């Protein structure tokens, strides 16, 4: 029987072509998965009222990634950053994080979200098992609470409880020296404002037991006018005022309190004042506001820190923020851990990260450590000082003592039932 | 902490120092709010549209003032630029866009306004950047506050209150006594008849919109030295202005003045007596007015 060939494409040829097509289309994907670049996903806030902080996170990451890539990347693989806007919404942050891993093929996540979003991204990391570094959330429970603990998530941000211990002891020393017994507080009315103020007052009272809070104000977040709060505090006549207002809210508050001469009537402690975003915007910065360090290139007063701040300014034409150093630290730790593990694999890097101590411009003693037990950053520079209206803005910073921080933090964890 | 702190409130009412401080504080909040709300109510009264993008004029006023102040260093010129700039903007916005949706569905007007809220915010972002800015207090007002009967009154706020009161007086008298005022009132009442008499109603509409924009811009300019400037800053002011116009009655200038001062006093004395319920108190007051007098305290029945 003779086979007659029908005109057109045979079944065999069709199959062959499909096979070839599959190979052609699949090859780049294989190449992408195995070869040179490693994709690192980063959800952060690039629009809305805190966009400035998200942008400064991105800037710091890119600054460090360039250096790592120039030195050969992560175990020979060049880092490719995939950075997406979460608009500051937790559900969007979680969606973006999931998409970065599942669709874009990112093997590591840098979670540059504020606290609200960080907890959402944390759940995604728990679900997908991908290596995740939280860079901006300062809410203590994110790493302190054992319920939140997962082996693949780390934090390179400061921690609320550390700040409160140092801030409380600094304020207590001044309260004792100057006899400041009557205190008022004025903080934004949401989780961060309430928690931070509560912890600060706890430690202030612990170090200076005769301090009394005589007035509390809780203005709304992003409230345009604080006049009624300013005059309320003036009526209460406290000797000292604590505030954790930040950003534009803090600068509005200062402008409005200034014309009531509030700053000459009491000592003011504003933890978020010493950040360049606020310091460079306020036109008439009162002298002598006590503030915690956020990022300032003169503290720690080392050539490394000054050089880092200047390099950032040279590249982006503005000073880094608190979020900048926290994100830069994430990349520095990643690079070092990958070198130690000699691998770009998330699990091996996580293994190497635990307990890793690296040289850092932001360390209190020139180093920072990723503490093994709760996978959070310790040993970073933390201190308080008073402001002047021009550079260096906070000429003398009094360093917090990490030994005291560790002791009180352990005690705090116990009181919360975390250990 | 208790939601009520009546001791603090009664203690304040008994002390002249506290009374003066809190009353001026209420005036400051109220008068700035009045300038925004009166434009809103004026535009509604004459044009019969609710200008949801009114907050943007407040925002532009502040940014114009800041830029003018940085360029010239003159505070007076900064105020002038804030007011004049937004007046021109208002005229262009009305002639170019709003005039096309008069008589259209309310939803259509709302949509156009909302679109411009977003567009204006992005324009500010593009020109001035997304980060917050501060204009800074002019040197002339960086002086110690005055003490009146023991109460603290910053000189800048005295200026702010007088400028706003002057604007209210000029506006009120202008509408009641001048020929232009009469024409505007007539146009509000019966635009068809005014038009038939050979008066250019388009011009009047544009003028009223420009006037409303100018007042909001003036409020923004006056607020610029003491409030931080961000894209979207007009939004919260707009919400409160709506509360003012609802309490005072849509279309009534006196209503806007009384409503704004009421809100100011609620905020200022409420923060002493009801620190956790100040916002709630404003809305509660609005609800009571809506239930007892749906047209507002000074609103007229809509025919």
């Amino acid at each position: 029987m003779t086979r007659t060939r029908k005109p057109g494409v045979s079944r065999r040829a069709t199959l062959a072509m499909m096979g070839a097509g599959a190979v052609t289309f699949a090859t780049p994907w294989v190449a992408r998965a195995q070869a040179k670049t490693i994709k690192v996903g980063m959800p952060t806030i690039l629009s809305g009222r805190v966009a400035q902080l998200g942008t400064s996170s991105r800037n710091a990451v890119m600054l460090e990634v360039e250096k790592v890539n120039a030195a050969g990347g992560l175990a020979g693989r060049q880092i490719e950053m995939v950075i997406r806007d979460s608009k500051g919404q937790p559900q969007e942050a979680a969606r973006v994080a999931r998409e970065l891993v599942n669709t874009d093929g990112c093997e590591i996540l840098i979670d540059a979200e504020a606290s609200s979003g960080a907890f959402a991204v944390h759940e995604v990391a728990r679900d997908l098992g991908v290596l995740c570094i939280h860079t901006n959330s300062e809410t203590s429970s994110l790493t302190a609470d054992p319920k939140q603990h997962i082996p693949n998530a780390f934090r390179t941000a400061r921690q609320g409880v550390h700040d409160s211990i140092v801030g409380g002891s600094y304020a207590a020393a001044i309260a004792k020296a100057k006899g400041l017994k009557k205190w008022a507080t004025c903080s934004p009315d949401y989780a961060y404002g309430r928690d931070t103020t509560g912890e600060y007052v706890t430690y202030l009272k612990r170090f200076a037991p005769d301090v009394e809070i005589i007035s509390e104000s809780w203005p709304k977040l992003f409230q345009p006018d604080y006049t009624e709060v300013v005059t309320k505090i003036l009526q209460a006549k406290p000797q000292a005022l604590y505030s954790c207002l930040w950003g534009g809210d803090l600068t509005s508050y200062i402008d409005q309190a200034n014309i009531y001469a509030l700053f000459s009537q009491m000592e003011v402690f504003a933890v978020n004042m010493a950040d360049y975003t606020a310091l460079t915007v306020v036109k008439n910065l009162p002298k002598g506001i006590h503030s915690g360090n956020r990022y300032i290139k003169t503290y720690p007063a080392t050539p490394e820190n000054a050089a880092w701040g200047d390099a950032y300014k040279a590249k982006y034409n503005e000073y880094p923020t608190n979020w900048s150093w926290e994100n830069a630290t994430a990349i520095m730790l990643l690079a070092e851990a990958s070198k130690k593990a000699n691998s770009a694999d998330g699990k091996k890097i996580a293994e190497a990260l635990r307990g890793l101590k690296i040289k850092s411009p932001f360390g209190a003693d020139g180093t920072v450590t990723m503490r093994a037990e709760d996978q959070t950053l310790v040993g970073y520079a933390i201190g308080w000082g008073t402001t002047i209206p021009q550079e260096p803005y906070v000429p003398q910073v009094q360093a917090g003592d990490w030994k005291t921080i560790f002791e009180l933090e352990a005690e705090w964890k116990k009181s919360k039932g975390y250990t | 902490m208790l939601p009520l702190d009546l001791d603090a409130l009664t203690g304040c009412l008994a002390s002249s120092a506290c009374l003066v401080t809190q009353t001026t504080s209420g005036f400051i909040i109220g008068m700035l709010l009045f300038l925004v709300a009166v434009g809103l109510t004026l535009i509604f009264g004459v044009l019969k549209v609710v200008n949801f993008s009114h907050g943007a004029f407040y925002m532009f006023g502040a940014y114009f003032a800041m830029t003018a102040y940085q360029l010239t260093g003159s505070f007076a010129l900064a105020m002038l630029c804030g007011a004049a700039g937004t007046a021109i903007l208002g005229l262009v916005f009305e002639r170019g866009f709003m005039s096309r949706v008069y008589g259209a569905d309310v939803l259509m007007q709302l949509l156009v306004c909302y679109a411009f809220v977003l567009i204006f915010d992005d324009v500010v972002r593009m020109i001035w950047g997304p980060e917050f800015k501060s204009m800074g207090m002019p040197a002339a007002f960086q002086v110690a506050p005055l003490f009146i009967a023991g109460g603290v009154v910053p000189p800048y706020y005295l200026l702010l209150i007088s400028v706003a009161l002057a604007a209210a007086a000029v506006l009120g008298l202008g509408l009641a006594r001048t020929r232009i005022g009469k024409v505007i009132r007539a146009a509000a009442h019966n635009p068809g008849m005014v038009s038939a008499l050979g008066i250019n109603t388009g011009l009047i509409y544009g003028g009223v919109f420009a006037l409303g924009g100018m007042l909001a811009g003036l409020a923004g300019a006056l607020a610029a030295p003491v409030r931080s400037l961000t894209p979207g800053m007009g939004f919260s002011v707009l919400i409160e202005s709506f509360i003012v116009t609802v309490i005072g009655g849509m279309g009534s200038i006196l209503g806007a003045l009384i409503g704004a001062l009421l809100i100011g006093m609620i905020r200022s004395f409420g923060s002493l007596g009801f620190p956790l319920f100040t916002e709630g108190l404003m809305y509660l007051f609005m609800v009571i007015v809506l239930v007892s007098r749906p047209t507002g305290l000074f609103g007229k029945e809509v025919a």
Side-chain angles (χ1 to χ4, degrees):
Chain A
M1 193 175 137
T2 23
R3 287 175 184 235
T4 45
R5 242 175 122 335
K6 283 184 199 147
V9 187
S10 74
R11 183 170 48 168
R12 187 169 292 174
T14 311
L15 279 173
M17 281 198 296
M18 279 168 68
V23 171
T24 319
F25 283 108
T27 314
W29 186 82
V30 174
R32 209 192 310 156
Q34 280 175 351
K36 291 289 151 202
T37 64
I38 175 164
K39 283 194 177 179
V40 177
M42 175 166 158
T44 190
I45 305 168
L46 297 173
S47 57
R49 189 130 170 180
V50 268
Q52 195 180 6
L53 288 175
T55 311
S56 77
S57 305
R58 180 179 63 191
N59 290 348
V61 160
M62 297 316 290
L63 187 70
E64 291 308 309
V65 164
E66 258 173 41
K67 289 185 208 160
V68 174
N69 280 345
L74 293 185
R77 293 170 66 184
Q78 294 283 303
I79 301 174
E80 185 191 335
M81 292 301 303
V82 188
I83 301 171
R84 298 259 161 83
D85 183 13
S86 71
K87 304 175 183 76
Q89 295 161 1
Q91 70 280 15
E92 183 68 3
R95 193 191 65 76
V96 166
R98 203 171 276 278
E99 189 182 84
L100 283 167
V101 176
N102 287 342
T103 313
D104 297 272
C106 293
E107 295 172 54
I108 298 171
L109 282 180
I110 301 282
D111 159 43
E113 288 292 320
S115 284
S116 49
F119 280 87
V121 175
H122 193 73
E123 289 313 305
V124 174
R126 189 197 296 271
D127 188 28
L128 301 178
V130 64
L131 174 62
C132 172
I133 302 185
H134 302 294
T135 51
N136 302 335
S137 169
E138 300 177 13
T139 305
S140 303
S141 62
L142 182 64
T143 54
D145 187 349
K147 283 198 218 80
Q148 296 290 348
H149 186 82
I150 48 173
N152 52 314
F154 297 80
R155 158 165 48 198
T156 59
R158 25 173 100 250
Q159 212 181 127
V161 66
H162 296 166
D163 266 342
S164 300
I165 292 169
V166 175
S169 70
Y170 171 87
I174 291 170
K176 281 180 188 160
K178 296 194 174 176
L180 310 173
K181 291 191 179 130
K182 289 191 286 178
W183 282 64
T185 67
C186 172
S187 295
D189 191 12
Y190 74 120
Y192 164 79
R194 294 249 173 200
D195 290 355
T196 310
T197 305
E199 285 170 10
Y200 181 88
V201 169
T202 307
Y203 286 104
L204 170 63
K205 282 186 171 167
R206 186 193 159 105
F207 295 119
D210 50 0
V211 159
E212 189 194 350
I213 304 294
I214 57 163
S215 166
E216 292 176 40
S217 306
W218 302 101
K220 268 190 315 179
L221 186 62
F222 306 151
Q223 183 167 318
D225 199 292
Y226 295 94
T227 304
E228 80 263 19
V229 187
V230 172
T231 53
K232 179 187 167 179
I233 291 165
L234 288 176
Q235 301 303 340
K237 295 194 174 58
Q239 293 165 299
L241 169 71
Y242 169 79
S243 174
C244 67
L245 287 168
W246 52 274
D249 289 4
L250 179 61
T251 57
S252 278
Y253 186 85
I254 287 175
D255 282 337
Q256 290 166 24
N258 236 343
I259 59 174
Y260 277 98
L262 180 137
F263 297 98
S264 63
Q265 297 174 42
M266 61 196 78
E267 294 277 330
V268 176
F269 296 76
V271 60
N272 294 317
M273 186 69 246
D275 196 60
Y276 288 116
T277 54
L279 289 169
T280 52
V281 166
V282 178
K283 294 290 185 302
N284 316 306
L285 182 70
K287 202 176 158 200
I289 295 182
H290 302 272
S291 175
N293 73 313
R294 309 308 289 168
Y295 175 79
I296 192 142
K297 67 167 188 170
T298 48
Y299 181 77
T302 58
E304 290 83 9
N305 186 31
W308 192 84
D310 288 335
Y312 184 104
K313 177 138 199 257
K315 186 157 180 180
Y316 301 111
N317 201 26
E318 60 183 15
Y319 276 122
T321 68
N322 187 43
W323 285 21
S324 301
W325 79 261
E326 295 174 332
N327 280 278
T329 302
I331 303 295
M332 291 173 185
L333 272 164
L334 262 184
E336 208 56 39
S338 152
K339 205 184 282 172
K340 188 175 148 199
N342 194 25
S343 165
D345 177 67
K347 281 215 172 60
K348 289 185 183 142
I349 291 180
E351 192 65 40
L353 271 175
R354 269 172 225 125
L356 184 65
K357 184 180 197 172
I358 61 163
K359 274 199 182 149
S360 163
F362 321 117
D365 62 353
T367 66
V368 292
T369 305
M370 178 53 71
R371 186 163 61 190
E373 58 176 273
D374 54 0
Q375 308 194 159
T376 195
L377 193 76
V378 293
Y380 54 86
I382 178 167
W384 278 67
T386 54
T387 53
I388 53 169
Q390 66 279 343
E391 285 202 62
Y393 296 115
V394 190
Q396 282 185 326
V397 179
Q398 207 170 308
D401 169 31
W402 274 97
K403 198 166 146 276
T404 317
I405 298 176
F406 288 140
E407 279 169 24
L408 291 174
E409 186 192 12
E411 201 177 284
W412 171 81
K413 277 188 174 178
K414 200 170 267 174
S415 76
K416 286 271 175 184
Y418 290 158
T419 48
Chain B
M1 201 160 124
L2 280 171
L4 288 181
D5 192 356
L6 289 179
D7 285 351
L9 190 59
T10 47
C12 181
L13 294 177
S15 125
S16 74
C18 182
L19 213 54
V20 170
T21 309
Q22 294 304 110
T23 310
T24 46
S25 154
F27 259 101
I28 295 148
I29 301 167
M31 289 318 286
L32 279 181
L33 210 51
F34 163 73
L35 287 180
V36 182
V38 76
L40 199 64
T41 211
L42 196 67
I43 290 170
F44 176 80
V46 179
L47 280 65
K48 304 289 183 284
V49 292
V50 180
N51 181 18
F52 279 94
S53 56
H54 204 62
F57 293 93
Y58 168 81
M59 171 176 73
F60 273 114
Y63 275 97
F64 288 157
M66 180 185 72
T67 303
Y69 184 66
Q70 281 168 351
L71 291 178
T72 64
S74 155
F75 177 71
L77 216 57
M79 295 301 106
L80 201 67
C81 276
T86 46
I88 295 167
L89 193 71
L91 186 67
V92 173
F93 179 53
E94 195 275 341
R95 283 293 89 190
F97 303 96
M98 284 313 281
S99 59
R100 291 165 201 277
V101 290
Y102 291 150
D105 195 28
V106 175
L107 280 178
M108 185 63 190
Q109 298 173 345
L110 190 66
L111 209 61
V112 170
C113 286
Y114 186 62
F116 272 94
V117 169
L118 300 179
I119 292 169
F120 284 146
D121 279 358
D122 278 347
V123 166
V124 167
R125 225 183 295 269
M126 279 190 277
I127 299 177
W128 285 280
E131 66 276 8
F132 59 88
K133 304 264 178 190
S134 165
M135 173 172 148
M137 183 59 65
F141 294 102
Q142 288 181 35
V143 289
L146 304 172
F147 287 88
I148 300 171
V152 196
V153 184
Y156 181 70
Y157 284 170
L158 279 184
L159 171 91
L160 194 154
I161 294 171
S162 359
V163 170
L165 277 177
V170 169
L171 195 66
L173 287 176
L175 278 182
R177 301 281 166 82
T178 63
R179 199 185 116 74
I180 299 170
K182 269 183 199 154
V183 173
I184 289 175
R185 279 184 294 139
H189 195 71
N190 191 339
M193 182 56 96
V194 170
S195 184
L197 288 173
I199 294 166
N200 186 345
T201 46
L203 191 68
I204 291 177
Y205 283 2
V208 166
F209 211 99
L211 182 63
M214 187 189 86
L215 290 166
L218 181 64
L222 284 168
V226 287
R227 294 183 183 176
S228 65
L229 279 59
T230 55
M233 66 187 277
F235 185 71
S236 59
V237 175
L238 180 74
I239 300 289
E240 289 196 353
S241 304
F242 272 117
I243 302 178
V244 166
T245 45
V246 167
I247 291 176
M250 266 293 192
S252 159
I253 290 170
L254 183 65
L257 181 64
I258 303 294
L261 287 177
L262 266 169
I263 294 293
M265 295 305 160
I266 287 178
R267 288 198 83 99
S268 134
F269 286 97
S271 75
L272 290 176
F274 319 92
L276 298 180
F277 198 58
T278 322
E279 295 282 317
L281 210 61
M282 272 168 21
Y283 288 97
L284 190 70
F285 196 76
M286 182 177 90
V287 168
I288 293 171
V289 169
L290 273 180
V291 169
S292 55
R293 278 186 68 95
T295 52
L297 293 178
F298 296 89
K300 295 185 189 79
E301 290 293 333
V302 181

